[in-house]
Amino acid sequence: MYQSHELGLDPYQTQEPKSAFQTSAVGQDPYQAYEHGHDPYQPHEPGYGLYQPGYSPYDDQIPDPKSRMLAIQNAKAYLLKSSTTSGLNLYDHLANMLTKILDERPTNAVDIIENISKDVKWAQFQKKMDTLRDEHEILPTFEAAEKRKALFLKANGEGNEELEEEIGETALPNVMETAFYFEQAGIGLSKDESYHIFLALKKLVSVQPIQTCRFWGKILGLEMNYIIAEVQYHEGEEEEETEEEEVTEEKGKGMGEGEDEDEKKEKEDEPPKSTYKPPPVIPKEENGTGANKYVYFVCNEPGKPWVKLPPVTPAQIVCARKIKKFFTGRLDAPVVSFPPFPGNEANYLRAQIARISAGTQISPIGFYQFAEDEGEEEEEEGGGRDTYEENPDFQPLSVAEMVDSLATWVHHGQSILNQGRCVWLNPFQKSEEEEEEEEEEEEEKAEEPDEVQQEIGPPLLTPLSEDEGIQNIPAWTAQPSTNLIPQYALAVLQSNRWPGAYAFASGKKFDNIYFGWGHKYSPENHTPALPLPVQAEYPSGPEITETRDPTLEEELAFKAAREEALAAAEEEEDEEDVVEDDEEEDDD
């Protein structure tokens, strides 16, 4: 194994490659041929004895060069074997790692070899590709652009209509102008979103028969938000809806009459009934009046279809005051609360819009005025005024005056009473037909109250200075849009009762808007309403009291008494028969 050069041969002559355990010359230290720059191993070092005869484990297993090459090829083939999960092989991975290390030459490469391995793997990662075409990644911005693409498309012949709208009046509001004024106060949406809403309102006005349209605001939700448009139809456009509602009410009445006939037949042997009478159902206000003066359309994003909200009922407004729920962004979502809300999220959203509008729709004093003829007629009827008109002689106040005093602002929206309506209605007032039917039932009349106290709310165009505060917090906060350039500032008002409601005024221009969660401010935590008290038990009397079961002794005594009574009755009958027979014999 350890062969030396033959005598007379050049020690530097080219020879066949020798094994790693062969020395290069006679008398040469074998350690120097393989461990350059290292002294001979000491007995206590791990490498001691590896190159000494008899110490190597491969002394008897030195293969020939052909077998060695075959072993190398097999090892390389194993390293080139690809992984079934990642598709990589260890040979290329090690080669790429060494290339990266030699190119970058990091310090302490052995300490970060694991991180280098991860970086090499991440660099070779590629997304799955189809054999025919690439799988393109759809970005969120691209999806949003596809949804809003329809907003920028023009219908056929729309160019001629635009010229006519410029000459005549249009129901489309100038959303960008309103956004410009609110932006000076740091309020509003981005310019892109405002313009998209502007285009969405244009689509709405072109589809629906709308007389007036206004961007009401945006209510936030947990999953999606609501963009709200406040519109008024042309006269006579909502007659179809009212007719459909009347048909459904008539069907309900017809079903009730059939049930009454069935109840009359089953009156025999009925258990006692409760005398409780539910409170009368308060009807909703007609479309175009009170809380249903305006119609509201909502959508989650500009470009999505507008959805019309149903009219609000007094029961929904009364229940909405007792609960506090976050919106989800889905109109068909149920409203789980106590007391139970009569409707889904669309009805709850409509009720909150009515409450916010009634308390935050304001305008500078003098901008609106009552019509003289209508005001006299309404006063004669005994009701409050519910209509107004613009004042052509309106002279705007200065910004300083509108900021200093809340008396320079007024409410131009009707307030909602505790009943849930803007105009009070006597629930016990009956029509002529009902009065004729109840003339026969005098007993029921005595149970009903004769008079109900009428609710009276604040009249229209009431100054904001009369609004009640919340503990030590005023109802409104007024401030200029800037103190650095007061001659070009705006008067901005913020509602503290409904956080998110704002209004601005600049000369003869003003507007209202809302951005928030749709919740009223409460200084204390929300506490749900308590359940109603438990109803009293039915009064117990002798007619419903159960008898006590008799004992055995009482049963025997009852039987004995009954037998005695029967025996006595028989004896009396026998005696009567004997007396009758004697009387007959005497007659003969």
Side-chain angles (χ1 to χ4, degrees):
M1 176 178 172
Y2 288 87
Q3 300 177 356
S4 59
H5 295 282
E6 298 179 359
L7 297 175
L9 293 178
D10 187 358
Y12 301 100
Q13 184 179 357
T14 303
Q15 299 179 2
E16 294 181 0
K18 300 181 179 180
S19 65
F21 300 100
Q22 295 175 337
T23 58
S24 58
V26 177
Q28 185 177 2
D29 191 354
Y31 301 103
Q32 297 178 3
Y34 303 97
E35 298 293 338
H36 298 285
H38 193 283
D39 295 334
Y41 285 100
Q42 300 298 323
H44 65 277
E45 294 182 346
Y48 178 77
L50 290 178
Y51 304 110
Q52 300 295 330
Y55 282 89
S56 175
Y58 304 103
D59 286 345
D60 300 333
Q61 303 178 11
I62 301 299
D64 56 349
K66 293 182 180 180
S67 300
R68 186 182 302 172
M69 293 299 297
L70 181 61
I72 292 173
Q73 292 177 2
N74 292 337
K76 186 175 181 181
Y78 171 75
L79 295 176
L80 288 171
K81 187 177 180 180
S82 301
S83 172
T84 57
T85 57
S86 62
L88 304 177
N89 61 76
L90 185 59
Y91 187 90
D92 294 338
H93 181 64
L94 293 174
N96 294 333
M97 286 177 58
L98 294 175
T99 303
K100 183 178 179 64
I101 292 172
L102 294 175
D103 291 343
E104 299 179 359
R105 296 185 180 275
T107 57
N108 301 328
V110 69
D111 298 331
I112 59 173
I113 189 68
E114 294 84 1
N115 298 333
I116 295 174
S117 176
K118 291 181 181 179
D119 295 341
V120 170
K121 286 184 178 180
W122 279 109
Q124 292 183 353
F125 173 76
Q126 293 180 357
K127 195 174 181 181
K128 295 179 181 180
M129 309 295 284
D130 193 11
T131 56
L132 298 178
R133 61 182 64 181
D134 298 341
E135 183 180 356
H136 298 286
E137 183 178 2
I138 301 176
L139 300 176
T141 53
F142 180 79
E143 292 182 354
E146 284 292 331
K147 293 178 182 178
R148 295 163 185 158
K149 184 178 180 181
L151 298 176
F152 296 88
L153 299 178
K154 292 184 178 181
N156 295 331
E158 191 174 353
N160 299 330
E161 294 178 0
E162 289 181 357
L163 297 177
E164 296 178 1
E165 290 178 356
E166 289 179 1
I167 300 173
E169 295 182 357
T170 176
L172 182 64
N174 193 347
V175 177
M176 299 307 296
E177 182 183 7
T178 304
F180 166 74
Y181 285 110
F182 277 113
E183 185 182 6
Q184 297 187 38
I187 304 163
L189 308 172
S190 63
K191 291 184 178 179
D192 292 342
E193 187 173 3
S194 298
Y195 191 72
H196 294 157
I197 293 173
F198 196 6
L199 297 177
L201 292 177
K202 180 184 177 183
K203 292 287 184 182
L204 177 63
V205 171
S206 63
V207 173
Q208 298 289 337
I210 293 174
Q211 182 178 2
T212 60
C213 180
R214 187 177 74 90
F215 175 47
W216 187 88
K218 183 177 181 179
I219 290 183
L220 307 178
L222 299 178
E223 301 176 11
M224 295 178 287
N225 305 324
Y226 289 116
I227 297 171
I228 304 167
E230 181 184 85
V231 304
Q232 267 187 322
Y233 283 124
H234 292 287
E235 295 182 0
E237 294 293 339
E238 293 183 342
E239 293 179 358
E240 298 179 358
E241 297 180 0
T242 54
E243 290 177 359
E244 292 178 359
E245 293 175 359
E246 290 176 358
V247 169
T248 55
E249 290 177 359
E250 290 177 358
K251 288 182 179 179
K253 290 180 180 178
M255 293 294 290
E257 291 175 359
E259 292 176 357
D260 293 340
E261 294 177 358
D262 296 338
E263 289 178 358
K264 289 178 182 178
K265 296 178 182 179
E266 299 177 357
K267 277 188 176 180
E268 299 179 357
D269 299 335
E270 287 184 354
K273 295 182 179 179
S274 174
T275 58
Y276 170 77
K277 291 184 179 180
V281 178
I282 301 174
K284 70 178 184 67
E285 294 176 299
E286 297 180 358
N287 295 334
T289 61
N292 292 320
K293 181 178 181 180
Y294 297 98
V295 180
Y296 294 91
F297 287 84
V298 298
C299 66
N300 297 119
E301 293 180 5
K304 290 187 176 181
W306 290 95
V307 180
K308 180 182 177 181
L309 295 180
V312 66
T313 62
Q316 294 169 355
I317 293 178
V318 171
C319 186
R321 288 170 172 165
K322 300 177 182 178
I323 63 176
K324 181 175 285 188
K325 295 285 292 184
F326 282 100
F327 294 97
T328 62
R330 294 179 285 107
L331 293 175
D332 58 347
V335 180
V336 182
S337 64
F338 182 82
F341 184 79
N344 54 12
E345 186 165 304
N347 303 107
Y348 180 56
L349 176 64
R350 181 63 182 86
Q352 292 298 95
I353 291 174
R355 296 177 61 199
I356 296 171
S357 299
T360 62
Q361 299 298 313
I362 59 176
S363 58
I365 189 171
F367 187 87
Y368 292 114
Q369 65 179 3
F370 294 112
E372 297 179 357
D373 299 337
E374 294 180 358
E376 293 176 359
E377 293 177 359
E378 290 172 354
E379 288 178 358
E380 290 176 0
E381 294 175 359
R385 298 180 178 181
D386 58 352
T387 57
Y388 50 82
E389 61 183 8
E390 291 188 13
N391 182 10
D393 301 329
F394 170 68
Q395 297 296 329
L397 301 175
S398 64
V399 173
E401 293 175 348
M402 302 188 71
V403 170
D404 293 340
S405 176
L406 293 177
T408 57
W409 296 81
V410 296
H411 290 277
H412 63 262
Q414 286 183 285
S415 62
I416 301 177
L417 306 175
N418 295 331
Q419 191 183 44
R421 293 169 53 99
C422 295
V423 180
W424 186 79
L425 177 69
N426 186 1
F428 299 101
Q429 185 178 3
K430 295 158 187 174
S431 60
E432 296 179 357
E433 297 178 357
E434 294 177 351
E435 289 179 357
E436 292 176 359
E437 292 177 358
E438 291 188 355
E439 284 178 359
E440 301 175 358
E441 302 175 358
E442 297 178 357
E443 297 179 359
E444 296 182 1
K445 271 189 175 181
E447 296 177 358
E448 295 178 359
D450 296 334
E451 295 182 359
V452 181
Q453 186 177 2
Q454 181 179 357
E455 294 182 25
I456 300 175
L460 272 177
L461 306 184
T462 301
L464 302 189
S465 56
E466 298 183 9
D467 291 0
E468 295 181 2
I470 309 169
Q471 292 182 357
N472 296 327
I473 304 174
W476 295 87
T477 299
Q479 59 185 358
S481 60
T482 177
N483 293 323
L484 301 177
I485 312 175
Q487 59 269 25
Y488 294 106
L490 308 176
V492 181
L493 261 70
Q494 175 183 354
S495 175
N496 297 323
R497 189 178 298 274
W498 290 96
Y502 300 93
F504 85 91
S506 175
K508 292 186 177 182
K509 293 184 179 296
F510 78 95
D511 206 344
N512 299 270
I513 207 163
Y514 179 84
F515 300 109
W517 294 93
H519 291 164
K520 190 176 183 179
Y521 173 75
S522 58
E524 300 176 356
N525 295 331
H526 173 69
T527 54
L530 296 175
L532 297 176
V534 180
Q535 188 175 4
E537 294 287 342
Y538 192 85
S540 60
E543 67 277 3
I544 64 171
T545 304
E546 296 182 359
T547 59
R548 184 176 58 85
D549 294 338
T551 61
L552 180 60
E553 296 176 353
E554 291 176 350
E555 288 183 358
L556 295 175
F558 176 76
K559 287 181 180 180
R562 188 175 181 182
E563 291 176 356
E564 291 178 358
L566 292 173
E570 290 177 356
E571 290 178 356
E572 290 179 358
E573 289 179 357
D574 294 340
E575 291 177 357
E576 290 179 356
D577 293 341
V578 172
V579 172
E580 289 178 356
D581 293 340
D582 294 341
E583 290 179 353
E584 290 178 356
E585 291 178 355
D586 294 340
D587 293 337
D588 294 339

